[in-house]
Amino acid sequence: MKRIGTQLIMLTLTLATLYAQECKAPMAEWQNACKMLMFTPGEELFDGLIHPVAGLFEEYFDADAAAMEHRNYMRMLEANGIKVTNLRDVLREMDLDTLREMAFSVLKYDTKGLSKKDAEEYGDDYKRSTIKKMSRQDLVRVLLLQPTVILKSVDNNTGVEAIYQQTPVMNLYFTRDQSINTPRGTVICRMNSSQRFPETRILKMVYAHLGIKPIYEIKGDGRLEGGDYIPAGNEAYIGCGMRTNMQAIRQMMEADAFGHDTIVVVNDHLLWQMEMHLDTHFGIIDKDLCTMQASRANAKKGDKEYCTVDVYARKKGGKEYKLIKKNVGFVDYVTSRGYKIIKINREDELHYANNYLTIAPRHIMAVGGQSEEYHNALKDNGVTVEWVPLENLIRGFGAAHCMTQVIERR
């Protein structure tokens, strides 16, 4: 009995020590996830679903089924003790004046087809009075649907007709992309596609409501999307290719926004939509274990799938990054850092096997439906896997990692 009592005391002390550790901005992808942002998709998906390619989706999927999958994924994360904040809920609880101001700037009235009299009557004052009457839910709809009302004066009925257009934020459920959270703090990204620009504006509203003040925002010709950033302790991997460019990476280094002493720029030469971000073909499970799409891991110099890295470093406590290595093979660099690589075959990769979320060392949330080969490889390396059903959501060109923005890890 005495021995059992001693073991219980030791276990209690261990758990107390673990939970006493402060949750902070992520230093490494394998740290225990504490808090994250997600966004359950809804009606804003529909316009993208009727022409998926233009919506940056892979193919049509069932919007209602996708929402159910997303809620189930959130419950699985919460069952692991992670606090998940749903952006949709945050928007609904925001200050009414803030919501109205944002809705006023988002809702567009095109009055070029109105007579001078009608333009005066149905212009900004009319829009403001309409917005003032809106419910919270309808104000949120304005933010998510981004509507434009094209007006025309006519001689019948009310004297005014309209064509209604929308440019909805249909990719907002990929909350990985609009911002990154580094050891230094939150950085607001600048999206590669203009149709995604409104997403970062919404994220800034959410962060302000949550009391999080971003330390930097990408400007000008810089392009940065969160799926290209993977923190790994004192170094960070950042993809440079289809969605993120070197202008943004330089801005980050010059602003000291990374907080890592070594920045590993992974140059993608394939530029393929299926693997548009670094996290679609490379992932980290633990300090000594990672995954990589097999054709990239096996690629030779000269192949489009052959990735190279440029390494920038600064002295500890310093600010200026200097290029110390150039055009190093990605596989060579990763293995030199002590990582074992699990190679993911093409069939699994096309089912988003690499786009998992690491929530603790050797503990991941991954898309269900993968091969026995992949199951065994993870098992053989001591990885705990929770397989998440995401068959609809993944058709939007993203998966378990893309749908989460981890803001704190322990």
Side-chain angles (χ1 to χ4, degrees):
M1 286 294 293
K2 184 176 181 180
R3 182 179 179 185
I4 294 173
T6 302
Q7 288 175 335
L8 286 173
I9 292 171
M10 291 178 65
L11 176 61
T12 302
L13 289 172
T14 301
L15 290 172
T17 301
L18 174 65
Y19 287 107
Q21 292 175 355
E22 187 180 358
C23 286
K24 298 180 179 179
M27 273 294 294
E29 191 80 354
W30 57 81
Q31 292 174 314
N32 294 69
C34 298
K35 297 179 182 179
M36 64 178 64
L37 301 179
M38 296 180 72
F39 176 78
T40 301
E43 60 192 312
E44 76 287 341
L45 285 178
F46 183 72
D47 284 3
L49 297 176
I50 58 179
H51 196 298
V53 172
L56 303 178
F57 296 153
E58 184 177 1
E59 59 181 329
Y60 168 82
F61 55 91
D62 185 323
D64 293 328
M68 290 178 64
E69 290 174 355
H70 195 275
R71 287 191 288 269
N72 176 63
Y73 183 23
M74 286 195 299
R75 286 192 293 268
M76 292 177 70
L77 290 164
E78 289 167 342
N80 281 281
I82 301 168
K83 182 179 179 182
V84 181
T85 299
N86 194 331
L87 269 61
R88 191 178 288 274
D89 294 336
V90 175
L91 291 173
R92 288 170 179 163
E93 68 186 26
M94 290 184 70
D95 174 71
L96 261 178
D97 288 338
T98 302
L99 274 177
R100 286 168 178 157
E101 181 183 345
M102 185 70 164
F104 183 82
S105 68
V106 166
L107 175 59
K108 305 297 182 187
Y109 283 1
D110 184 339
T111 61
K112 293 191 291 292
L114 293 180
S115 66
K116 184 177 180 181
K117 178 177 177 297
D118 286 341
E120 291 175 354
E121 185 172 356
Y122 300 116
D124 282 354
D125 289 343
Y126 183 82
K127 179 169 73 168
R128 195 175 297 279
S129 68
T130 301
I131 286 173
K132 192 173 182 180
K133 299 170 186 174
M134 286 184 181
S135 66
R136 285 179 179 273
Q137 181 61 36
D138 283 339
L139 290 168
V140 171
R141 282 193 176 98
V142 171
L143 301 188
L144 299 180
L145 299 178
Q146 305 273 311
T148 296
V149 185
I150 304 171
L151 296 157
K152 178 183 178 182
S153 294
V154 294
D155 294 330
N156 61 1
N157 300 323
T158 62
V160 179
E161 289 182 350
I163 296 173
Y164 298 88
Q165 295 182 344
Q166 297 175 352
T167 52
V169 288
M170 58 193 75
N171 288 273
L172 187 58
Y173 78 93
F174 294 126
T175 50
R176 176 68 50 168
D177 293 338
Q178 304 88 5
S179 63
I180 64 174
N181 282 277
T182 77
R184 287 270 289 114
T186 298
V187 175
I188 302 298
C189 298
R190 188 165 175 80
M191 313 303 283
N192 187 58
S193 302
S194 59
Q195 71 192 63
R196 297 195 70 183
F197 284 179
E199 296 175 32
T200 54
R201 193 176 178 195
I202 292 172
L203 256 290
K204 284 191 285 185
M205 279 183 62
V206 169
Y207 278 129
H209 182 77
L210 296 175
I212 298 172
K213 186 176 181 180
I215 59 168
Y216 190 71
E217 181 171 358
I218 301 299
K219 302 176 178 66
D221 293 329
R223 294 292 183 270
L224 173 66
E225 296 191 3
D228 277 314
Y229 169 71
I230 300 177
N234 199 39
E235 68 181 2
Y237 294 86
I238 182 91
C240 182
M242 194 171 189
R243 298 290 187 91
T244 296
N245 62 21
M246 200 60 209
Q247 289 96 317
I249 297 170
R250 288 197 184 95
Q251 285 184 38
M252 289 277 294
M253 289 193 288
E254 290 169 4
D256 190 21
F258 277 115
H260 306 271
D261 289 335
T262 303
I263 307 302
V264 184
V265 179
V266 183
N267 300 299
D268 179 19
H269 309 288
L270 182 60
L271 306 180
W272 180 35
Q273 173 68 11
M274 190 70 194
E275 296 177 3
M276 84 290 281
H277 291 137
L278 180 60
D279 68 358
T280 61
H281 58 88
F282 171 71
I284 297 179
I285 297 177
D286 203 348
K287 60 185 178 181
D288 57 357
L289 184 66
C290 69
T291 59
M292 190 178 295
Q293 207 278 325
S295 63
R296 289 182 183 261
N298 297 330
K300 306 299 182 185
K301 284 185 180 180
D303 295 344
K304 283 188 176 181
E305 291 185 288
Y306 183 79
C307 290
T308 58
V309 302
D310 298 329
V311 183
Y312 295 80
R314 65 180 183 183
K315 293 181 180 178
K316 190 173 182 179
K319 287 188 176 181
E320 185 180 357
Y321 290 92
K322 293 186 178 180
L323 180 65
I324 61 169
K325 295 180 181 179
K326 188 173 178 62
N327 290 327
V328 178
F330 187 28
V331 173
D332 292 337
Y333 183 81
V334 167
T335 53
S336 75
R337 300 298 295 160
Y339 289 97
K340 177 182 179 181
I341 300 174
I342 295 175
K343 296 180 183 180
I344 298 176
N345 67 43
R346 175 66 71 180
E347 182 180 355
D348 286 337
E349 174 59 19
L350 292 175
H351 203 67
Y352 296 89
N354 193 84
N355 199 255
Y356 53 80
L357 174 69
T358 301
I359 61 171
R362 278 176 160 73
H363 187 172
I364 66 174
M365 313 293 288
V367 178
Q370 309 301 340
S371 69
E372 185 178 353
E373 175 189 347
Y374 189 45
H375 278 247
N376 290 337
L378 293 170
K379 183 180 179 181
D380 291 345
N381 284 279
V383 181
T384 298
V385 187
E386 295 187 48
W387 299 104
V388 189
L390 297 172
E391 289 307 306
N392 285 278
L393 287 166
I394 62 174
R395 297 176 195 174
F397 273 128
H401 195 260
C402 292
M403 296 173 206
T404 58
Q405 178 58 243
V406 180
I407 54 178
E408 290 185 8
R409 287 185 183 268
R410 183 182 295 111

